[in-house]
Each structure stands twice: as structure tokens, then as C-alpha cells.
Amino acid sequence: MGFCGVGPELVGEVEEINLDYRLARRFWHHGYATEAVKGVLRYAFQQKHCESVIVIIEPEHTASVRVTEKVGFGDYALQEFHNRLVRVYRMTCEDWALHNKLL
């Protein structure tokens, strides 16, 4: 089906906790990515006690942008990552807690 998780990623000179996911095309548009991302964020913030989590997305991946913003990531910075221009979203533990209180 795919995968979803968090792990270390060197972004520039800083090691970040990056949320990454991929789904096989036949599983797109069923809400699986959104639910997986929500579960991984809950794990990252409640059990691993991460201070923040980032997501790196190429701007043309509009479905991933929608999932990311739907689960509460807001602002992003454009930067180069592996010779590509990407959006780097960040969510802090406080952002996550606030977003989940509003749901």
C-alpha cells in the first residue's frame, strides 16, 4: 500500500524530523494518506515528544500539499533541497495541539 513515518533528514546544515509518506497510485483519493499522516503526527508529538516536524514537498505535488495543509501544516518556506525547489512546512508540538483542539 505504501508507507508513512518520521525520521531524521539533513536540511541545509540542520537535522530535522521529517514526515514522509508514499502511497501506491491505486490507493490515492481514499483518505488513507490523511489518516496515516494524522496517526504519525500523533505518535511524533505524543510518544516521541518531538519539538517540531517538517514536511518537504515539491510544489507541483498538489495532492500532497492538500494532505499536508488539511492536517494542520500552514506556512512554508521555499528552499532548495537536493537541487530542487521545494516547500518546507513546519509544525511545532504547540501547533499540533492547537489544531487538534479545533477539530
Side-chain angles (χ1 to χ4, degrees):
M1 181 174 199
F3 68 89
C4 183
V6 289
E9 183 75 56
L10 193 60
V11 180
E13 299 295 321
V14 178
E15 186 174 87
E16 301 276 8
I17 300 301
N18 181 41
L19 186 148
D20 197 13
Y21 61 93
R22 303 273 189 292
L23 289 179
R25 189 174 294 269
R26 69 178 186 223
F27 297 108
W28 291 7
H29 309 294
H30 297 282
Y32 299 131
T34 300
E35 291 307 310
V37 167
K38 285 179 181 179
V40 167
L41 286 172
R42 186 171 40 255
Y43 169 77
F45 291 125
Q46 288 185 338
Q47 294 184 11
K48 297 300 283 181
H49 305 290
C50 296
E51 291 180 24
S52 67
V53 172
I54 66 164
V55 178
I56 302 167
I57 303 174
E58 293 182 30
E60 62 272 13
H61 293 173
T62 56
S64 291
V65 168
R66 278 193 305 274
V67 168
T68 299
E69 292 177 353
K70 185 184 216 178
V71 300
F73 286 87
D75 295 335
Y76 60 87
L78 285 175
Q79 68 184 80
E80 193 169 306
F81 181 73
H82 295 287
N83 299 315
R84 294 184 172 138
L85 188 62
V86 297
R87 291 180 178 190
V88 178
Y89 290 83
R90 178 179 305 280
M91 180 183 287
T92 65
C93 186
E94 292 81 19
D95 296 336
W96 178 81
L98 178 61
H99 180 77
N100 284 284
K101 284 181 183 177
L102 298 174
L103 296 179

